[in-house]
Amino acid sequence: MKRIIYIPFDHLHPKYGALADADPKNDLIVLVESARMVTGGSWNKVRLYFLISSARHFKAELEQLGFKVLYEKAATTVDGLKAVTKDYPKLPIISAHPSSHLQSKQLAEFGVSFIENDFFLTPRNLFTSWADNQKSFLMESFYRAQRNRLGVLVEAGNPVGGKWNFDKENRLPPPKNYKYPPYLKHKADEIDQQVADELGISPCDVWGTNRKAAKAQLKNFIDNHFANFGPYEDAMTNENWALHHSLLSPYINNGLLHPGEVLTAALNAYKKGAVDIASAEGFIRQVIGWREYVNGMYWYLGADYKKSNHLNANRKLLPLFTDPSRTKMNCVKTTVSDIKTRAWVHHIPRLMILSNLALITGTNPQQFLDWMRREFIDATDWVMVPNVIGMGVHADNGKMMSKPYAAGGAYISRMSTYCKGCEYDPKLRVGDNACPFTTLYWDFLDRHKDEFVKNHRMSQQINGIKRLSDLPQLKQRAVEVLSGLDKGLI
Ligand code: SF4
């Protein structure tokens, strides 16, 4: 053996990262299941099931390709590598660049050498040169540059379909009397069952745990969901937990699928005429735009960015986040319950229900970030730090987003079916039946009016406060709502 190749649990692809030029004759492969990952805190067990079972399947896949693979269980990743180097003391260790600041630091200190992380479509230095030339880091500017750079949905420098962005077409509420295609179910094998037993849960058939299953999920999306993805991508309904979302982010983020192959499948479907431009653009924006932008910003903004708390939000994490029975808010109860079941909800409940609630209640950004990291199946540091600190709770003084994503009950009422079964009324901002989102939205704007009045994108909302004849009662109701949320009674 000439080298040790360390494979983090989010680099599970035999053709990318450090495995791209690996040779079974020369390379010893090491994966480490660290106790810190499994037992260090209250991780969502469905998330752990997916990550651990995928890694154990990947070990078996590499062995079939002829590699010697060591799957170490240790207190930490570095401890696992230390154990291996006792038996192979002189071998250099290489890895593709890890996906968090902390792991990069720890592995570099241990002497691991890094090669380029190619699990993204944008090398880090390319993103840095883009960001260095921006006055503000607008995702839309980055996305257009990506479309041009990658030659995706562009003709002679112009966007296919006449515009770059089909968001207006893609904001429909949930459809009525609609038949959703059945969910794709993944059958558990022996490895899955063993991991589930170790975690004390049943295998979750929503998620596959190997490359074959990931490819089946991609095909299922392209064949059965892609055409209707766009119009309903922002909708939320208790009739169907996934709508037409692809459910591909876990596989792209742990390496079982490469974003390049997802992009190719989407473009092929569009070229064949199977989907219209609005759905094609809406989905491709997520893959080549948002995902790459969020990863780029994570590295560009540095390790301390996650500590930002510009709005001085210091409320403790609300009890409803750990126990959905501690709230009567139907939208929140449904969303948190869905996360406990599958470790996943789509981007709108993440942003407009969970993050919005954390933002307008003034919940501490780091406590909320920690919760999001632990609960979601596709969460890693690079995913959650920019999405929560920058986009979700505006703790970064607008470095990423020019305005906070604060909204009252009217938005949730328009885009979901949740309000019908709720004891609160989204139209009311005062009184016992007032929707907590509606009350707290105005209270949040009022609390931060001096800050936001300087922001031209917020001035209309801030001016709206002056038209509230019942502001004193609203402020009083906000005190009651916040106290009720702290006690788990609202
Ligand atoms: Fe959520 Fe308010 Fe609607 Fe209830 S009324 S479901 S709390 S938005």
Side-chain angles (χ1 to χ4, degrees):
M1 289 293 168
K2 293 187 178 147
R3 304 186 298 183
I4 293 170
I5 295 182
Y6 166 64
I7 304 295
F9 278 24
D10 55 359
H11 291 181
L12 305 184
H13 199 302
K15 296 199 177 124
Y16 289 91
L19 287 172
D21 71 345
D23 178 349
K25 283 199 245 47
N26 298 328
D27 294 319
L28 172 69
I29 314 297
V30 177
L31 290 104
V32 182
E33 185 182 309
S34 77
R36 191 162 59 191
M37 171 192 170
V38 184
T39 53
S42 49
W43 296 96
N44 186 314
K45 289 195 174 173
V46 175
R47 167 193 161 83
L48 290 178
Y49 164 79
F50 170 73
L51 293 177
I52 294 171
S53 192
S54 296
R56 292 191 195 173
H57 279 94
F58 191 62
K59 170 188 188 277
E61 187 188 330
L62 290 180
E63 283 169 344
Q64 274 173 6
L65 293 172
F67 285 99
K68 181 173 170 62
V69 187
L70 298 180
Y71 187 97
E72 292 292 311
K73 285 189 179 183
T76 66
T77 300
V78 167
D79 287 340
L81 290 174
K82 268 186 200 156
V84 173
T85 51
K86 270 191 195 139
D87 294 333
Y88 299 89
K90 299 220 171 90
L91 296 188
I93 310 177
I94 66 157
S95 164
H97 204 296
S99 58
S100 79
H101 292 288
L102 183 65
Q103 199 179 40
S104 302
K105 184 168 173 279
Q106 289 170 339
L107 292 185
E109 281 168 6
F110 186 64
V112 177
S113 351
F114 299 138
I115 58 165
E116 174 87 35
N117 179 327
D118 57 0
F119 288 87
F120 293 85
L121 301 168
T122 318
R124 287 184 197 167
N125 57 2
L126 200 68
F127 189 90
T128 303
S129 15
W130 172 80
D132 279 345
N133 286 309
Q134 305 302 307
K135 280 205 191 92
S136 60
F137 308 114
L138 277 184
M139 199 300 279
E140 189 65 28
S141 318
F142 171 74
Y143 170 60
R144 291 182 191 184
Q146 283 287 78
R147 292 262 297 267
N148 279 319
R149 179 176 75 84
L150 299 169
V152 170
L153 300 179
V154 281
E155 278 167 3
N158 296 313
V160 170
K163 53 186 183 175
W164 295 100
N165 181 321
F166 286 80
D167 270 0
K168 273 202 188 115
E169 287 78 355
N170 288 347
R171 281 191 187 135
L172 297 187
K176 291 194 177 120
N177 305 319
Y178 188 76
K179 199 165 170 356
Y180 293 93
Y183 301 112
L184 180 65
K185 292 194 173 172
H186 298 275
K187 205 162 169 277
D189 64 9
E190 258 176 55
I191 298 177
D192 293 323
Q193 190 59 57
Q194 191 184 4
V195 174
D197 287 347
E198 286 173 27
L199 293 166
I201 59 169
S202 299
C204 182
D205 64 8
V206 166
W207 307 112
T209 51
N210 56 56
R211 183 155 161 78
K212 195 169 157 218
K215 279 161 85 174
Q217 192 73 44
L218 174 59
K219 185 171 179 337
N220 181 59
F221 170 65
I222 298 287
D223 293 351
N224 301 325
H225 292 281
F226 192 11
N228 291 311
F229 168 78
Y232 304 120
E233 66 170 306
D234 285 3
M236 300 171 278
T237 168
N238 27 24
E239 284 166 33
N240 189 288
W241 61 268
L243 291 100
H244 290 294
H245 282 267
S246 71
L247 308 181
L248 294 175
S249 59
Y251 309 106
I252 307 177
N253 289 359
N254 83 343
L256 289 179
L257 289 177
H258 191 272
E261 61 191 320
V262 176
L263 173 65
T264 302
L267 284 173
N268 286 344
Y270 174 69
K271 281 176 200 152
K272 273 198 273 173
V275 293
D276 67 9
I277 184 65
S279 275
E281 189 282 318
F283 179 71
I284 286 169
R285 162 189 300 265
Q286 307 297 327
V287 180
I288 72 167
W290 276 111
R291 182 173 187 275
E292 300 286 318
Y293 170 77
V294 162
N295 181 57
M297 291 303 285
Y298 174 78
W299 291 99
Y300 189 75
L301 293 168
D304 284 342
Y305 176 77
K306 74 193 294 186
K307 299 178 193 155
S308 311
N309 187 1
H310 177 70
L311 296 175
N312 282 324
N314 289 316
R315 181 171 300 283
K316 277 211 303 212
L317 192 73
L318 302 175
L320 56 81
F321 284 109
T322 37
D323 176 1
S325 73
R326 305 285 301 277
T327 181
K328 293 185 269 186
M329 299 163 79
N330 197 30
C331 53
V332 178
K333 189 193 280 288
T334 308
T335 300
V336 178
S337 302
D338 281 356
I339 295 166
K340 300 289 176 199
T341 310
R342 300 178 203 91
W344 184 92
V345 291
H346 72 70
H347 64 280
I348 293 299
R350 293 187 200 205
L351 180 65
M352 300 308 292
I353 293 183
L354 302 170
S355 301
N356 184 21
L357 184 66
L359 171 71
I360 62 182
T361 52
T363 296
N364 177 265
Q366 285 67 40
Q367 288 189 24
F368 179 59
L369 168 64
D370 188 48
W371 182 82
M372 294 284 280
R373 273 288 275 114
R374 288 170 185 281
E375 291 292 341
F376 279 94
I377 192 162
D378 50 13
T380 59
D381 229 34
W382 71 263
V383 172
M384 283 304 175
V385 171
N387 268 309
V388 170
I389 297 293
M391 194 172 184
V393 299
H394 206 71
D396 66 345
N397 195 14
K399 279 201 182 83
M400 269 181 67
M401 299 293 140
S402 50
K403 71 192 253 295
Y405 278 86
Y411 175 85
I412 298 168
S413 174
R414 189 166 65 249
M415 293 308 294
S416 82
T417 57
Y418 298 144
C419 298
K420 278 192 201 109
C422 186
E423 74 172 68
Y424 300 112
D425 182 339
K427 290 192 218 69
L428 298 182
R429 56 180 178 259
V430 293
D432 290 349
N433 294 336
C435 167
F437 275 106
T438 307
T439 308
L440 294 178
Y441 164 73
W442 288 111
D443 182 59
F444 169 78
L445 292 183
D446 187 56
R447 286 202 313 271
H448 296 287
K449 58 179 180 292
D450 294 343
E451 162 95 25
F452 293 142
V453 81
K454 298 173 243 156
N455 180 338
H456 73 279
R457 290 196 68 204
M458 291 293 289
S459 49
Q460 211 181 340
Q461 282 164 283
I462 296 299
N463 283 331
I465 302 169
K466 293 182 199 140
R467 290 196 294 275
L468 298 180
S469 53
D470 50 6
L471 189 59
Q473 295 96 307
L474 182 141
K475 299 290 290 177
Q476 180 52 39
R477 174 65 186 160
V479 171
E480 289 162 21
V481 169
L482 288 170
S483 156
L485 286 169
D486 283 340
K487 293 184 190 131
L489 299 172
I490 286 278

